[in-house]
Amino acid sequence: MNYYSTSVTNLIEELKRLPGIGGKSAQRLAFHIINMPEDHVLHLSRAMVDARQKIRYCKTCCTLTDEEYCPICSSPKRDHSTIMVVEHTQDLAAYEKTGQYDGVYHVLQGTLVPSLGKGPDQIRFRELMDRLEKEEIRELILATNSSLDGEATAMYITKKVKPLGIKVSRIASGVPIGGELEYIDEVTLSRALDGRIQL
Ligand code: ZN
């Protein structure tokens, strides 16, 4: 039965498509939005459309950004000879919050998923190899999650990169097994980075 008007029901249905939003949360958010001043609602919807339309992948590190090259790749203050490989832009953000890392990144936009046959062509792996061929890289730090897929990805990259004579290291344990990097506190992340192990 349709308790609400069509527009409210539509709003609830759209909100329910977001991750972590169940029926009750969607309903609560919908009524919150309906009661917001109209200009707030306009700002919110415009911010969503703007973010979606302007977003693209950095031409160097493949992170999500508004520009052709992201602020980190464009910065002369960063050490461009050290690349940290992470799964997602959120992981990059987590390391940036520690303030302890001054190198650059490469964002794979996922991992290998051997159990589902997801291979290197489905992540930004080719782009990484291109960088290693073109740029002077001293160290590659593998900071994929310590999940099965994250480990498989780190192993695969190590196998491909070591023959190039580039130092490869893996962030230390301290990052819990199966831990999603973006949820781990900054101290633990800094420690994991400091204690990285050369492979
Ligand atoms: Zn970049």
Side-chain angles (χ1 to χ4, degrees):
M1 194 172 30
N2 198 353
Y3 305 103
Y4 308 124
S5 71
T6 311
S7 55
V8 177
T9 307
N10 281 348
L11 180 56
I12 294 171
E13 288 306 315
E14 288 303 322
L15 289 167
K16 259 165 62 182
R17 293 158 72 147
L18 298 171
I21 306 288
K24 275 190 182 159
S25 303
Q27 200 170 303
R28 195 166 41 79
L29 282 170
F31 282 101
H32 179 80
I33 292 168
I34 293 163
N35 286 306
M36 274 161 64
E38 199 174 332
D39 60 326
H40 285 195
V41 179
L42 277 174
H43 284 152
L44 173 65
S45 59
R46 215 170 279 149
M48 289 196 284
V49 174
D50 250 33
R52 181 62 187 85
Q53 286 179 340
K54 286 185 183 157
I55 209 80
R56 55 169 116 176
Y57 295 106
C58 169
K59 279 193 164 172
T60 301
C61 73
C62 305
T63 194
L64 292 169
T65 182
D66 286 350
E67 310 288 334
E68 205 170 350
Y69 297 97
C70 76
I72 296 171
C73 288
S74 316
S75 169
K77 290 186 187 143
R78 307 295 293 226
D79 167 12
H80 290 263
S81 69
T82 303
I83 298 180
M84 186 193 289
V85 179
V86 295
E87 294 179 14
H88 299 287
T89 295
Q90 300 94 297
D91 304 321
L92 174 158
Y95 273 102
E96 282 304 285
K97 272 187 221 148
T98 69
Q100 300 294 309
Y101 178 67
D102 69 349
V104 292
Y105 295 89
H106 189 84
V107 183
L108 293 170
Q109 299 297 346
T111 58
L112 303 180
V113 187
S115 57
L116 297 175
K118 186 175 168 191
D121 293 344
Q122 287 154 281
I123 57 174
R124 300 297 182 126
F125 173 70
R126 184 68 249 165
E127 289 85 345
L128 174 65
M129 294 307 278
D130 286 346
R131 284 179 79 181
L132 298 180
E133 277 162 28
K134 282 186 214 138
E135 300 170 32
E136 250 340 286
I137 303 303
R138 207 170 38 81
E139 183 179 0
L140 195 69
I141 302 168
L142 302 175
T144 49
N145 290 331
S146 53
S147 60
L148 269 178
D149 295 334
E151 291 296 349
T153 307
M155 271 168 61
Y156 179 83
I157 295 174
T158 306
K159 202 175 75 192
K160 294 288 177 185
V161 172
K162 278 205 86 172
L164 305 176
I166 296 167
K167 180 177 165 189
V168 181
S169 56
R170 178 86 171 108
I171 51 164
S173 55
V175 177
I177 297 291
E180 297 280 328
L181 266 184
E182 55 174 311
Y183 299 120
I184 295 165
D185 72 88
E186 288 143 39
V187 178
T188 311
L189 276 187
S190 295
R191 261 191 225 134
L193 179 59
D194 285 343
R196 65 185 182 271
I197 297 152
Q198 192 173 340
L199 300 171

